Amino acid sequence: MRVAPRVVFVLAAGFAASAAVAQVPTPPKITDKVPDNLTAPTPTPAPRGPTEYVPRGSREAPPGRPTPGPTRTQTPTPVPPLVRHLDVRSGEVVTKKQSSPSACTTRVDSSSPGQTFVQIRCPLLPPSGLKADFEFWKGVRLKNGWKVDSLKADWSGSSNPQPPDNNHTGFRVSTAPVVGSDNPETTLHLFATAGLTIDVEVVLRVKGPPGTSPR
């Protein structure tokens, strides 16, 4: 039996199409799953700019508590020095007369503590008139931190005339102690003429630590 050429051609084309369809691979199934070996990229940090310094504010004390003040070391109150009159002991006044012969007399009265009187008294009849030096505390030194504070020398009520006229009667301090030193040496020069009297009060003030003595 003879087959028509057209039929054979159609069958060959059909077989060829079937073979082509059998050779095309099946496309993979699309899913949303991310493969395990993939890692998200690490973001690169942005560069830091300069940091502005902000000073810390003062801390406030809790309510109800006063702010403590600064701690101070208490300074002890200084004790003021003790001031007293320096007494005159036996032999601590030496009288040196400069006029001779003379009927005038000299006297030293230190019966009151810290107060001494020196005197020249001249009679009216000659020989009269006298000059004399009275030396106090010769060779004496103050101890225990005591120092000279002040010297007072002035005529007293026993003088005649009052006040001394510095021509017929008078006095002067020949040697005065230095304030702040430990040397109390003092010299007074007195003079009087016939029938007149010069009488001088001498007071030396010294100062030093309380509870101690200048001697």
Side-chain angles (χ1 to χ4, degrees), residues 79-84 142-149 205-214:
V79 179
L82 181 65
V83 179
R84 56 174 288 185
L142 303 178
K143 300 178 180 180
N144 303 318
W146 285 75
K147 305 296 181 182
V148 173
D149 183 65
R205 289 161 55 98
V206 295
K207 63 180 178 181
T212 63
S213 173

Side-chain angles (χ1 to χ4, degrees), residues 154-172 190-192 196-200:
D154 202 359
W155 60 275
S156 72
S158 299
S159 299
N160 176 33
Q162 298 184 20
D165 60 10
N166 292 324
N167 291 318
H168 301 89
T169 61
F171 75 97
R172 70 175 182 271
L190 280 66
F191 66 94
L196 302 179
T197 301
I198 179 67
D199 191 90
V200 179

Side-chain angles (χ1 to χ4, degrees), residues 7-84:
V7 175
V8 174
F9 175 76
V10 172
L11 291 175
F15 284 116
S18 298
V21 172
Q23 293 178 1
V24 176
T26 304
K29 185 178 181 181
I30 299 174
T31 65
D32 294 333
K33 182 178 180 180
V34 179
D36 294 338
N37 59 348
L38 295 180
T39 304
T42 303
T44 303
R48 297 181 60 183
T51 302
E52 182 180 359
Y53 173 74
V54 180
R56 298 178 61 185
S58 59
R59 301 180 62 184
E60 297 183 356
R65 293 184 179 181
T67 303
T71 303
R72 295 182 179 179
T73 302
Q74 185 176 3
T75 303
T77 303
V79 179
L82 181 65
V83 179
R84 56 174 288 185

Side-chain angles (χ1 to χ4, degrees), residues 17 81 86 97 108 137 151-152 166 181:
L86 184 64
K97 297 180 180 181
V108 177
W137 302 293
L151 173 69
K152 172 189 174 184
N166 292 324
S181 73

